[in-house]
Amino acid sequence: MRTFPRGGIHPSDNKLSRGTVIERLPLPEVVYVPLSQHLGAPAEAVVKKGDVVRTGQLIARASCFVSANVHAPISGVVESVDLRLNGQGKYQEMIVIRHLGFSGASSAMPNLSEEGGTLSTSRPPSRVVATKSAPRNSPNEVTEEWADGIDTSPELVRECTLTPEEILKKIEMAGLIGMGGAGFPTHVKLTIPPGKHVTLLLINGSECEPFLTCDHRVMLERGEELLIGVTLLMRVLGVDEARVGIENNKADAIAHLQALTREHEAYRGVRIVPLKVRYPQGGEKQLVAALTGRRTPPPPGLPVDVGCVVCNVSTAVAVYEAVQKGKPLVERVVTVSGRGLTQPKNLMVRVGTPVSVLLAAAGGLPSDQGSDGRVKVLNGGPMMGKAMSYMEAPVVKSMSGLTVMEGPSARRRQQGECIKCARCVGVCPMGLEPYLLMKLSRAGMWDRLEQEWMINCIECGCCQFGCPASIPLLDFIRLGKQEVRRRNKI
Amino acid sequence: MSARFIVSPAPHVQGHRTTSRIMFDVVLALVPALIFSVVVFGWDALAVTCVSVIGCVVFEWAIRRFVFRGKSTVGDFSAVVTGVLLAFNLPASVPLWMVLVGAFVAIGIAKMTFGGLGKNPFNPALVARVFLLVAYPVQMTTFPHPTGELVDVFSGATPLVAVKHGLVDAASLDFQDVLFGFIPGSLGEVSALLLLAGGVFLLWRRVISWHIPVSILGTMGVFTYCVGGWEFALFHLMAGGAILGAVYMATDYATSPMTRAGKVIYGVGIGALAVTIRLWGGYPEGMSFAILLMNAVTPLIDTYIKPRRFGVNRWARRFWK
């Protein structure tokens, strides 16, 4: 069984929601759509307060090449375009759209007019969502109108007669970004720089983060769409082989996709490759190494330097929707899981939905149910996820999961002395010496840090996971990386 | 929402391994050999071990409490490990006050003067053993002879001494006695088999990696085989502190290199030095000196032997600079 060449750990995978079918969440009352959900420059808003938008309509345009379009996730009225808190507690520019039932507009309008601005702002935001979304749960009330040219029917469209350039244009228009976490704009990734040559398309279905199951469910429930998306990506890149890497704790997904590739002539070039379960297999460089044996050079080296392009499975499905259905990226599957939740779920949600709505759908935070322990809510899985401080923050295109941790597991352990057990050196998938990097960055020896290949660190957290003394190695390494980068720029 | 949220940088999960669990595993691995030496050498062996462990723990606690004025670190079991290892390096007949002196040298001088756990450049138990060996050579080289009866012990020469001084031929020794430990010697150097079993346990628990023990024993085996054939090699591997040193002393985290390649270099160095001292040096036993010498080289090894960086051409950087 294939895997990446060195290092790595085996955290218990805790895939609580692996058997839970993707559930579509009722449309939210209000969405907060950040203009910057991707790596690169933020998009520029093309709507203003008071505009009426339809679902899938462009509301913010990519400001330069490395940027991505943003579309309206629901039909409604633009309430404001201003700075709002994101999950990490930073202010970000967001477009706020309040739902407006197009056929049953009266049900949404009274809330706006009767309560007025004073009442709804004086209340805590969570209460507003809770009270208003409750009566909306019945499906007949949820109405929306999609923008022109979007096919929302469930039929599968297999044939595609577009040229690679046209496909790429459609992907760019639909505002696709990498849905695995980093959020790199897909059209940028697919535009191969001159002088580079791509021979292979790699699809990341490894989902090595504990708790997360959204990619697993997507592979199981939307396998054909995924494979069509993969063939479209192959056409854009002009390659005739694609490999889908899936860790073998998802045997059902492997079997399902393998059966599909055998059934249809069209998916001939797609190979499903089972991988050994090991974190951080889903890291781009690790996946390239696991699937091809090629080693991506350190930054600014990219997989394209070794002839590979890596895309996430959810991104491939989004490519299918964008190209074959004309549907922009306005919704995604988010795993809501963790020991702190009673009903871990995989939810299909609109971008911009407040996180609190997702948490409520999965049984609510334990603190709401009487236990007084503090909890940790993560945007992502426990290895690389970011802790959130503000629960009205919106779902973004690159959010793959929410993990709720409670009790002692939510807290860091008491830090001890380094016993030089060398475990961090052994588990580092990049061949670095985390203990040394930590010491050097503590001492501010930035030049030495560069010599020790600090820049190669992918921040996977294996070193800190394995440390018996619970030393926050990665905190110091991040600090050092930041400083080294800052000094190099000047 | 009344919940207050905990916020910290990733990763948010931790492996189950802790420092104290690792140290406890080492103690567990040593217990069978300890029981065996009590059977062979009688209650003296237990007394030496107890005094050594208690001495180490008390010195560590006292130094943390009254010199560092910090929190007690006794809970991490590292002082217990040092205590047991020190006892394993002493003859059962050694006076108990001498054990206390050893415990003070190990913890007070070799460990705490450098800042405590993880900061000591030399293996504390070995520093104490070598100190006692040089300071009290008579008591340290008088070994009770195991007779099977718990009280009746008399001084005997260890097999290494006997062979070194030509008293007996290596080939004429009963290998079963050496293997199972019915020979004179320090507490911990008698039963090769139980020490190896403990080593397998540590490997299974992933407390140690195979690199250091295998490279030490491999080097010693090849070296002695070249000098005196396979029986001579087998004898040198099983007699004296070869296994105790290779599995438990040389693998001490703080004093051994961090990378796998570095560990192999370190192990080969220990093996070669130990055989050299045993065959041509003044002492019959060379493990402690070999390990301490290589402890001194460890920082140098860590500076020059680096793990293979992912995606970096091994030679590229040399041409740049």
Side-chain angles (χ1 to χ4, degrees):
Chain A
M1 189 95 45
R2 282 158 174 269
T3 187
F4 54 95
R6 60 159 294 141
I9 51 170
H10 295 101
S12 34
D13 66 0
N14 279 314
K15 306 276 192 187
L16 306 174
S17 51
R18 82 165 74 224
T20 317
V21 176
I22 297 172
E23 184 183 314
R24 187 172 282 277
L25 204 66
L27 288 184
E29 184 72 22
V30 189
V31 289
Y32 306 92
V33 191
L35 294 180
S36 179
Q37 307 183 27
H38 46 263
L39 283 182
E44 284 162 0
V46 295
V47 290
K48 55 184 191 308
K49 187 176 173 183
D51 283 359
V52 174
V53 294
R54 291 188 290 173
T55 311
Q57 184 183 329
L58 186 74
I59 54 172
R61 184 176 288 127
S63 55
C64 61
F65 181 58
V66 188
S67 182
N69 288 341
V70 180
H71 300 80
I74 59 170
S75 311
V77 181
V78 176
E79 214 171 58
S80 64
V81 183
D82 58 6
L83 292 176
R84 277 168 189 276
L85 280 176
N86 71 2
Q88 275 74 51
K90 280 186 186 160
Y91 280 99
Q92 245 188 337
E93 203 163 16
M94 297 188 196
I95 299 176
V96 183
I97 302 172
R98 188 167 289 274
H99 183 267
L100 194 65
F102 269 74
S103 45
S106 55
S107 67
M109 288 309 287
N111 284 340
L112 283 173
S113 52
E114 279 169 22
E115 291 177 3
T118 47
L119 192 58
S120 57
T121 46
S122 63
R123 274 189 195 172
S126 63
R127 290 287 301 278
V128 174
V129 170
T131 50
K132 284 184 184 170
S133 60
R136 297 212 132 259
N137 276 353
S138 50
N140 54 359
E141 258 190 272
V142 179
T143 49
E144 63 174 341
E145 195 168 299
W146 287 78
D148 298 328
I150 298 175
D151 175 7
T152 51
S153 64
E155 290 103 69
L156 215 57
V157 186
R158 288 212 180 81
E159 286 73 36
C160 177
T161 51
L162 300 173
T163 64
E165 290 73 29
E166 286 167 334
I167 298 175
L168 188 59
K169 196 74 200 157
K170 283 204 163 197
I171 290 173
E172 185 177 351
M173 286 299 110
L176 257 56
I177 64 168
M179 289 163 82
F184 195 68
T186 306
H187 67 275
V188 181
K189 194 180 257 186
L190 295 176
T191 311
I192 307 305
K196 306 262 165 76
H197 183 65
V198 173
T199 54
L200 256 178
L201 169 67
L202 305 179
I203 302 296
N204 188 353
S206 59
E207 200 160 53
C208 56
E209 271 275 359
F211 291 104
L212 301 191
T213 55
C214 57
D215 289 349
H216 184 189
R217 292 314 302 181
V218 164
M219 287 188 280
L220 276 178
E221 295 175 36
R222 312 188 69 184
E224 279 241 57
E225 286 145 289
L226 163 65
L227 291 174
I228 296 168
V230 174
T231 52
L232 291 171
L233 284 168
M234 286 162 70
R235 195 181 305 182
V236 173
L237 294 169
V239 298
D240 46 18
E241 194 187 341
R243 293 181 191 162
V244 186
I246 306 173
E247 285 192 347
N248 69 339
N249 57 356
K250 293 177 267 293
D252 47 355
I254 296 171
H256 177 61
L257 291 181
Q258 271 173 346
L260 283 176
T261 50
R262 270 196 297 269
E263 260 172 49
H264 296 279
E265 197 67 8
Y267 314 137
R268 175 134 292 184
V270 185
R271 260 179 64 198
I272 312 297
V273 186
L275 300 172
K276 212 171 131 187
V277 180
R278 203 155 153 232
Y279 177 88
Q281 192 111 250
E284 207 171 39
K285 292 175 175 186
Q286 273 62 42
L287 193 79
V288 171
L291 289 174
T292 66
R294 302 176 198 174
R295 312 231 177 159
T296 312
L302 290 170
V304 74
D305 292 314
V306 289
C308 299
V309 165
V310 185
C311 278
N312 183 265
V313 285
S314 297
T315 314
V317 173
V319 166
Y320 160 81
E321 289 190 326
V323 178
Q324 304 292 73
K325 300 278 200 174
K327 185 177 160 196
L329 182 49
V330 292
E331 59 184 0
R332 67 157 298 146
V333 182
V334 176
T335 301
V336 188
S337 184
R339 298 277 168 206
L341 290 172
T342 47
Q343 305 152 34
K345 273 178 180 166
N346 298 296
L347 297 170
M348 175 67 102
V349 295
R350 292 290 160 89
V351 168
T353 310
V355 161
S356 58
V357 176
L358 276 69
L359 294 173
L365 290 177
S367 51
D368 294 345
Q369 297 164 353
S371 80
D372 56 346
R374 287 161 70 194
V375 293
K376 199 190 237 179
V377 180
L378 306 174
N379 169 1
M383 286 306 295
M384 290 191 80
K386 293 192 175 98
M388 299 177 64
S389 58
Y390 181 59
M391 294 309 130
E392 295 316 308
V395 169
V396 294
K397 293 174 186 175
S398 57
M399 180 189 277
S400 46
L402 288 169
T403 312
V404 178
M405 312 192 76
E406 60 161 357
S409 70
R411 278 150 225 262
R412 284 190 160 182
R413 266 192 226 143
Q414 184 72 38
Q415 177 188 347
E417 286 289 335
C418 174
I419 55 169
K420 304 218 177 109
C421 64
R423 211 152 263 132
C424 54
V425 180
V427 297
C428 180
M430 302 308 286
L432 305 175
E433 296 149 291
Y435 80 100
L436 183 66
L437 299 182
M438 182 197 72
K439 265 202 289 193
L440 293 174
S441 94
R442 220 178 214 171
M445 298 167 78
W446 315 117
D447 295 336
R448 266 298 297 287
L449 276 175
E450 252 190 294
Q451 273 173 28
E452 302 290 349
W453 291 100
M454 153 74 82
I455 208 73
N456 218 351
C457 173
I458 57 167
E459 300 182 23
C460 61
C462 289
C463 47
Q464 200 171 321
F465 176 88
C467 182
S470 308
I471 296 168
L473 289 153
L474 191 52
D475 295 5
F476 286 101
I477 293 175
R478 274 200 204 99
L479 179 85
K481 260 179 96 171
Q482 217 174 342
E483 186 63 23
V484 166
R485 263 199 224 121
R486 195 180 64 81
R487 287 162 56 94
N488 282 356
K489 262 183 206 149
I490 294 166
Chain B
M1 204 172 291
S2 60
R4 283 162 64 221
F5 299 101
I6 302 173
V7 176
S8 67
H12 306 281
V13 276
Q14 271 268 295
H16 46 80
R17 219 180 294 262
T18 58
T19 304
S20 48
R21 178 69 221 195
I22 288 173
M23 297 296 170
F24 187 67
D25 277 343
V26 178
V27 177
L28 272 187
L30 289 168
V31 163
L34 175 64
I35 293 172
F36 182 81
S37 48
V38 174
V39 170
V40 172
F41 297 114
W43 298 111
D44 282 356
L46 195 64
V48 168
T49 312
C50 287
V51 169
S52 170
V53 169
I54 292 168
C56 283
V57 171
V58 168
F59 284 130
E60 167 135 348
W61 175 82
I63 290 170
R64 285 296 299 191
R65 175 79 178 75
F66 299 112
V67 182
F68 285 27
R69 295 178 192 281
K71 232 172 35 179
S72 167
T73 49
V74 170
D76 63 25
F77 287 110
S78 63
V80 179
V81 172
T82 306
V84 177
L85 285 177
L86 173 62
F88 272 37
N89 277 292
L90 303 174
S93 57
V94 75
L96 293 181
W97 62 267
M98 214 180 276
V99 180
L100 273 184
V101 171
F104 178 74
V105 171
I107 297 293
I109 293 174
K111 185 176 173 188
M112 299 312 263
T113 40
F114 295 96
L117 182 62
K119 300 201 177 77
N120 48 305
F122 296 102
N123 189 322
L126 282 181
V127 171
R129 177 202 142 95
V130 169
F131 171 81
L132 293 177
L133 187 66
V134 176
Y136 313 104
V138 179
Q139 289 92 330
M140 283 295 289
T141 49
T142 310
F143 298 99
H145 198 285
T147 55
E149 289 164 45
L150 293 187
V151 279
D152 181 21
V153 286
F154 60 90
S155 302
T158 66
L160 271 179
V161 176
V163 172
K164 177 145 189 137
H165 298 298
L167 300 181
V168 287
D169 182 30
S172 70
L173 274 163
D174 189 343
F175 273 102
Q176 273 192 351
D177 278 356
V178 181
L179 183 63
F180 291 111
F182 295 103
I183 46 167
S186 302
L187 280 187
E189 67 180 32
V190 288
S191 176
L193 203 63
L194 287 175
L195 286 175
L196 274 180
V200 170
F201 170 74
L202 290 183
L203 279 173
W204 172 67
R205 292 283 302 170
R206 303 215 185 161
V207 170
I208 58 173
S209 71
W210 58 267
H211 302 81
I212 292 175
V214 169
S215 54
I216 292 179
L217 296 176
T219 310
M220 289 182 77
V222 171
F223 201 161
T224 45
Y225 174 79
C226 293
V227 173
W230 73 267
E231 274 192 320
F232 190 62
L234 203 59
F235 164 73
H236 267 284
L237 287 182
M238 288 189 305
I243 289 169
L244 182 69
V247 177
Y248 300 93
M249 315 289 283
T251 53
D252 172 39
Y253 288 148
T255 58
S256 62
M258 302 291 275
T259 60
R260 278 166 227 169
K263 283 176 181 172
V264 172
I265 293 172
Y266 168 82
V268 170
I270 291 176
L273 280 171
V275 175
T276 311
I277 296 168
R278 277 188 181 186
L279 298 184
W280 298 289
Y283 284 94
E285 171 59 290
M287 271 319 265
S288 349
F289 296 107
I291 294 173
L292 286 175
L293 281 170
M294 288 310 286
N295 282 170
V297 185
T298 295
L300 200 66
I301 294 177
D302 277 337
T303 307
Y304 288 101
I305 306 298
K306 294 293 177 184
R308 198 166 158 195
R309 315 292 195 196
F310 185 94
V312 177
N313 185 329
R314 230 185 286 190
W315 310 110
R317 203 164 178 92
R318 302 204 178 172
F319 293 120
W320 291 350
K321 297 247 160 170

